[in-house]
Amino acid sequence: WIGFHTKMAEGTLPFDDDQKGIQDQVVIKFSHVVAENTPKGLAAQRFANRVNEKSNGQIKIEVIPNGGLYSDQEELEALQRGDVHMIAPATTKLSSFSPKWQVLDLPYAMPTSESIIEALNGDIGSTLLQSLEEKDMKGLTLWINGFKQITTNDGSVVHPDDLKGQNLRIMPSSVLENQFDQVGAKAVGLDFNDTYRLLESGELNGEENTISNIYSKKFFDVQSHLTISNHGFLGYAVIMNDEFWSNLTKKQQRIITEALDEASRWNQTQSFAMNDEQLALIERNSSIDIHYLTKEEKREWANRWEPVYRAFKNEIGDDLLSKMIQLRD
Ligand code: LMR
């Protein structure tokens, strides 16, 4: 364990006692891969501050952003080993543990912010979080980043065929690979924090991500075209190592849960606005060409991607898929 706290008997409330010193402080390392000025980065910091206040400094959440501790490909295994206590990977990255998570990656599955919030706060979200228990992970909550957009260096992307032959960076995911297969692009699952370099060097033509990630990692500096497609969802599962969670006292668990609820409420109300504000900054301060897909153009992409739903029907399961389609339609 990194920074594992002094062992305390289950049920005791060590920080009720003012005489207890720093030696009883619980240190929770929370690693994530994005910048601080993002929906995830800010929610993580708010959560850490609230835990600190609520526990009178007896629980310390150490947030390590920008992949400073682990890359996105490493962090899940590090959590399972217990080398880090807490992470918030993109839900996409959980599909290798449980294919059900792929339901959130289906293109145009959640076309509005309301449908995203409904999916995450409802049955779909709770089914997915519970599925982590089989993998010795404690799924605590779900956070939102926003809608994914497309950036490239090879002309304007308006119609699906405009992506033909392009090399794109995606998060490792069969759904996302299939999604870009359908339009003749070659998509490769790569580390988030390698993306800028690979775009800059020309090894990749483009990528898909939210405005918040495009802005904070400056992808707009190394891309010529941005298409506002809102074609996919990017959000996060906030997870703790199961054994670490079970070793916390009931009171510690309550403080963490309450602080997370507050951070999640903040995240759900602010994430879309943050993406909008950062899009306005990109528009104002960069020369990237921006195209907003029209309703008709979006329909063209959605029709082209309908086969993705059929391809993953069995892996996702009828129950979850039909709940998602109900939300979509
Ligand atoms: C990505 O890899 O593009 C995202 O998962 C990064 C993130 O955590 O938002």
Side-chain angles (χ1 to χ4, degrees):
W1 293 104
I2 292 179
F4 193 72
H5 58 89
T6 323
K7 277 274 181 202
M8 288 166 289
E10 180 71 16
T12 58
L13 305 176
F15 45 86
D16 275 346
D17 179 355
D18 284 345
Q19 303 312 308
K20 293 270 179 183
I22 197 82
Q23 75 273 16
D24 288 317
Q25 188 184 53
V26 177
V27 177
I28 298 179
K29 288 207 184 276
F30 184 176
S31 168
H32 70 80
V33 299
V34 295
E36 285 160 292
N37 185 28
T38 56
K40 175 162 65 178
L42 292 177
Q45 200 48 58
R46 277 183 102 83
F47 162 66
N49 296 345
R50 286 301 286 143
V51 167
N52 187 45
E53 282 162 21
K54 281 170 173 284
S55 70
N56 294 323
Q58 291 294 311
I59 308 176
K60 181 170 189 285
I61 310 282
E62 255 180 46
V63 182
I64 304 117
N66 291 309
L69 201 53
Y70 294 105
S71 76
D72 36 4
Q73 314 239 26
E74 295 163 345
E75 66 182 8
L76 272 156
E77 281 178 16
L79 184 88
Q80 285 190 309
R81 284 197 308 271
D83 289 348
V84 65
H85 309 121
M86 197 168 175
I87 58 173
T91 57
T92 310
K93 292 166 188 166
L94 294 165
S95 48
S96 56
F97 288 88
S98 158
K100 285 192 180 90
W101 286 89
Q102 296 179 124
V103 74
L104 298 178
D105 289 319
L106 293 169
Y108 287 117
M110 295 175 283
T112 60
S113 52
E114 291 80 16
S115 57
I116 290 177
I117 290 173
E118 203 179 324
L120 299 193
N121 292 352
D123 277 357
I124 296 177
S126 54
T127 306
L128 293 174
L129 280 176
Q130 268 164 27
S131 74
L132 294 176
E133 266 161 41
E134 290 157 29
K135 307 288 172 192
D136 299 327
M137 294 188 262
K138 175 74 187 167
L140 293 165
T141 190
L142 295 165
W143 285 347
I144 294 168
N145 183 320
F147 292 109
K148 285 183 290 183
Q149 323 296 350
I150 298 167
T151 66
T152 67
N153 253 337
D154 219 0
S156 185
V157 174
V158 179
H159 305 287
D161 284 337
D162 294 337
L163 277 182
K164 212 180 234 164
Q166 302 219 26
N167 289 322
L168 307 175
R169 182 268 168 178
I170 51 168
M171 293 181 269
S173 148
S174 311
V175 168
L176 301 183
E177 225 174 274
N178 189 303
Q179 169 188 283
F180 285 118
D181 244 19
Q182 303 291 337
V183 298
K186 175 151 181 37
V188 193
L190 295 165
D191 268 356
F192 176 63
N193 281 304
D194 288 338
T195 309
Y196 181 93
R197 184 177 50 78
L198 294 168
L199 291 172
E200 189 186 29
S201 70
E203 282 167 78
L204 292 172
N205 301 99
E207 57 88 50
E208 58 160 17
N209 226 309
T210 58
I211 289 296
S212 131
N213 282 338
I214 292 167
Y215 175 76
S216 59
K217 291 293 175 182
K218 296 195 167 31
F219 297 161
F220 63 87
D221 266 352
V222 287
Q223 296 277 266
S224 60
H225 289 78
L226 165 62
T227 300
I228 303 300
S229 51
N230 285 357
H231 67 276
F233 164 73
L234 175 61
Y236 309 107
V238 183
I239 312 172
M240 255 196 202
N241 175 288
D242 207 26
E243 193 186 338
F244 183 80
W245 172 258
S246 309
N247 280 330
L248 295 172
T249 65
K250 291 282 174 276
K251 179 164 182 179
Q252 289 165 337
Q253 290 181 353
R254 197 181 65 238
I255 287 174
I256 287 168
T257 307
E258 286 172 2
L260 262 184
D261 282 349
E262 290 175 34
S264 301
R265 269 198 298 281
W266 177 86
N267 166 263
Q268 292 203 348
T269 56
Q270 297 304 312
S271 52
F272 295 102
M274 265 195 94
N275 276 284
D276 289 346
E277 281 157 26
Q278 294 179 340
L279 177 57
L281 289 172
I282 292 177
E283 263 183 315
R284 200 171 324 133
N285 301 320
S286 96
S287 58
I288 196 166
D289 177 277
I290 306 179
H291 176 75
Y292 291 79
L293 289 187
T294 63
K295 246 194 186 147
E296 291 69 36
E297 287 161 358
K298 279 186 186 166
R299 200 166 305 127
E300 203 186 326
W301 286 84
N303 288 341
R304 189 71 172 263
W305 279 332
E306 207 47 46
V308 184
Y309 284 69
R310 288 195 289 281
F312 291 89
K313 185 173 181 285
N314 290 342
E315 285 186 25
I316 291 168
D318 274 340
D319 185 41
L320 266 189
L321 188 60
S322 52
K323 278 184 184 141
M324 185 55 95
I325 288 172
Q326 244 174 335
L327 262 186
R328 182 191 68 173
D329 301 337

